Amino acid sequence: MPPTPPKIGSTSGETVGGITQRQRFLNTLLGEKTDRFPFFDLEPGEETLQRWHSEGLGRKQSVAAHFNLEPHHSVGLTLRSYPFFRKTPGILDDPTAFDRHYDPDQPSRYADNFEEKARRLRRHGRVVYVDASGGGLLQMIGVGDWESMLAACRALIQRPRAVEELLDRITDFYCICLERVLSRVPVDYASFYEPIASNTAPVVSPAMFARFAIPGYRKVNDLLKRHRVPLRILCTTGGNLTALLPSLIEAGINGLWISNIRSAGMAYAMLRRRFGPEIALIGGIDAGALAKDTAAVREAVSKTVPALLARGRYLPCLDDRPRSNVPLSHYCLYRRLLEKIAGSV
């Protein structure tokens, strides 16, 4: 049997020195004084866990508990079109399609006992978030494959008013659902998703995005501000969104969490230079480096973390969940390096 890897950290992180996980998260990303940055990563998938168990990770504890991580908890609202994770055929053409896909009274949109669970998490000092969109611009107008992508592009050009009316209705649906939740429970951040760019550029122009998408962002962000949601974070894959970021920030986005960064323009050092410390950043460490060797792990941390921490409003973590090609020993090294930095800041 492989040797059991040493447990990283000394406590659960729930409350250390009088500060809770929630306070540490908010203080870090809002640029206020705290004891250290939060220890956080996305949970590994099942294949990764199987590998790590074979390499010595115990089965009695979660990865978060073993590595002293401070996970985030969803309040339990699903804004995707219904049925979830399926395409929305006819959304632009069939007058009856909207009510089938976007019913705010659909019970499965709200987790059972979400209010009680969220209040319990808050009492325990945990980080609670809400999904503030069911997808980006393209998903809202029915894109799910190449054919629907072509139909959506034609509609944006040939039927702009019909697209605007649909987007207005979906945005109103978002606001109805969010109001029902946020009027009952507070959250620490809201997450948005906008998968609309390749590695080189967005698939629509900044002007088109500003016309069709930004009014919805502004309306939802205004609602979030009324409910005192302090962080409104764009969470998306690493396509090159740089041309769209100024309008998104102007519309109320104040944090970025970019995964699988493949474009130099989306590298966190570049984003920090361009937008300054007013924008909070989560992630930025190349997860692919952990699949290489220990030198690559050390370089991925050293070239990213210290400089961003020095500018503030940065939570260091991987830019993807650990995949099954990541050895447990490399992940342990990566976590130890972050703990060492946290202890020296």
Side-chain angles (χ1 to χ4, degrees):
M1 179 180 295
T4 301
K7 180 174 173 60
I8 305 295
S10 58
T11 74
S12 69
E14 184 169 315
T15 303
V16 179
I19 189 167
T20 65
Q21 293 181 13
R22 173 179 176 271
Q23 290 169 327
R24 183 179 296 116
F25 172 83
L26 290 175
N27 288 1
T28 295
L29 293 181
L30 295 175
E32 300 174 5
K33 186 177 180 180
T34 188
D35 58 342
R36 60 166 172 80
F37 57 79
F39 296 154
F40 174 81
D41 268 320
L42 295 174
E43 284 281 328
E46 187 58 36
E47 289 185 1
T48 308
L49 283 176
Q50 290 176 5
R51 172 175 182 162
W52 288 2
H53 289 320
S54 73
E55 295 173 346
L57 182 68
R59 298 175 182 271
K60 294 183 179 181
Q61 276 189 319
S62 67
V63 170
H66 183 87
F67 289 101
N68 191 29
L69 303 182
E70 302 165 49
H72 304 170
H73 304 269
S74 171
V75 76
L77 172 64
T78 303
L79 291 179
R80 291 176 177 271
S81 60
Y82 184 85
F84 306 139
F85 302 102
R86 298 185 186 178
K87 293 186 291 185
T88 53
I91 193 67
L92 276 167
D93 304 299
D94 181 356
T96 68
F98 180 87
D99 290 335
R100 290 199 305 271
H101 295 300
Y102 292 103
D103 179 4
D105 297 320
Q106 174 64 38
S108 58
R109 294 197 174 279
Y110 309 90
D112 292 340
N113 302 316
F114 75 85
E115 183 175 4
E116 176 186 343
K117 292 176 182 176
R119 292 191 180 281
R120 183 174 66 251
L121 288 165
R122 191 173 180 91
R123 286 196 304 270
H124 292 163
R126 302 304 178 95
V127 177
V128 179
Y129 71 92
V130 66
D131 288 322
S133 71
L137 170 62
L138 297 181
Q139 290 71 42
M140 292 169 76
I141 57 178
V143 173
D145 54 23
W146 181 246
E147 290 302 317
S148 55
M149 175 72 176
L150 293 177
C153 289
R154 285 193 291 268
L156 287 167
I157 297 170
Q158 298 171 1
R159 302 163 55 201
R161 187 57 198 148
V163 172
E164 288 174 327
E165 290 174 355
L166 173 62
L167 294 172
D168 286 345
R169 293 186 71 188
I170 296 176
T171 299
D172 288 342
F173 159 80
Y174 289 168
C175 290
I176 290 170
C177 297
L178 287 165
E179 182 67 38
R180 290 180 180 181
V181 171
L182 297 178
S183 63
R184 298 165 67 181
V185 295
V187 300
D188 303 308
Y189 73 89
S191 58
F192 295 81
Y193 304 92
E194 194 60 69
I196 198 171
S198 69
N199 288 342
T200 56
V203 299
V204 301
S205 69
M208 185 173 283
F209 187 80
R211 173 179 178 178
F212 292 105
I214 289 301
Y217 273 96
R218 188 173 288 112
K219 186 171 186 176
V220 172
N221 276 318
D222 285 346
L223 182 149
L224 296 173
K225 292 175 185 177
R226 288 198 302 273
H227 286 282
R228 300 183 178 181
V229 180
L231 290 161
R232 301 165 300 277
I233 300 175
L234 182 70
C235 310
T236 191
T237 53
N240 192 346
L241 286 168
T242 50
L244 307 182
L245 290 180
S247 63
L248 284 163
I249 292 169
E250 188 275 332
I253 294 295
N254 64 353
L256 300 174
W257 186 349
I258 313 299
S259 62
N260 296 299
I261 297 171
R262 296 293 179 267
S263 166
M266 295 297 286
Y268 275 22
M270 181 68 72
L271 294 177
R272 181 56 87 219
R273 285 195 294 271
R274 181 173 180 185
F275 297 108
E278 290 75 22
I279 301 300
L281 298 175
I282 300 176
I285 303 173
D286 179 14
L290 274 64
K292 298 176 183 177
D293 54 31
T294 58
V297 176
R298 293 179 185 278
E299 181 183 5
V301 173
S302 64
K303 76 177 184 180
T304 302
V305 177
L308 289 172
L309 285 176
R311 299 290 299 275
R313 300 193 68 181
Y314 172 56
L315 193 167
C317 65
L318 297 177
D319 71 351
D320 191 10
R321 65 183 69 250
R323 300 294 176 174
S324 59
N325 60 349
V326 173
L328 176 60
S329 61
H330 288 185
Y331 188 76
C332 289
L333 171 61
Y334 150 73
R335 294 291 349 157
R336 287 196 299 270
L337 292 171
L338 286 187
E339 286 216 346
K340 183 177 181 180
I341 293 172
S344 65
V345 174

